Amino acid sequence: MTIKEKMETLQKIKFDYVIEYNKAKKENNTDFIELYLKPRIDDIVREINQLEDLWLDGVENV
């Protein structure tokens, strides 16, 4: 899998988590947000940033 493909996949996953986050926020479900969604979104963003750095350095595949 190329880095670009992996980044695109992670972006889609992040989008799904953001939808869940917004839904939980409307329902005032702070435990779900703090214990599950926020850490997962942070992990995905961190992984996307790492892949972006590799991609900018010229690495093509992971």
Side-chain angles (χ1 to χ4, degrees), residues 2 5 14 21 26-27 30 41 44-47 51 53 58 61:
T2 68
E5 291 169 338
K14 185 183 92 174
Y21 176 89
K26 283 182 184 177
E27 296 170 355
T30 54
I41 291 170
I44 292 169
V45 169
R46 188 173 21 264
E47 190 170 350
L51 287 170
D53 289 344
N61 295 309

Side-chain angles (χ1 to χ4, degrees), residues 4-39:
K4 187 174 180 181
E5 291 169 338
K6 180 130 178 132
M7 283 174 39
E8 289 170 355
T9 300
L10 287 170
Q11 288 286 7
K12 291 175 187 172
I13 293 168
K14 185 183 92 174
F15 182 75
D16 291 340
Y17 276 102
V18 169
I19 289 171
E20 288 297 317
Y21 176 89
N22 289 333
K23 182 179 171 186
K25 194 170 182 180
K26 283 182 184 177
E27 296 170 355
N28 202 24
N29 192 348
T30 54
D31 289 341
F32 184 62
I33 291 170
E34 292 301 317
L35 297 174
Y36 180 72
L37 291 175
K38 191 171 182 325

Side-chain angles (χ1 to χ4, degrees), residues 50-61:
Q50 290 171 348
L51 287 170
E52 193 172 65
D53 289 344
L54 287 173
W55 188 61
L56 291 173
D57 288 342
V59 177
E60 293 183 16
N61 295 309

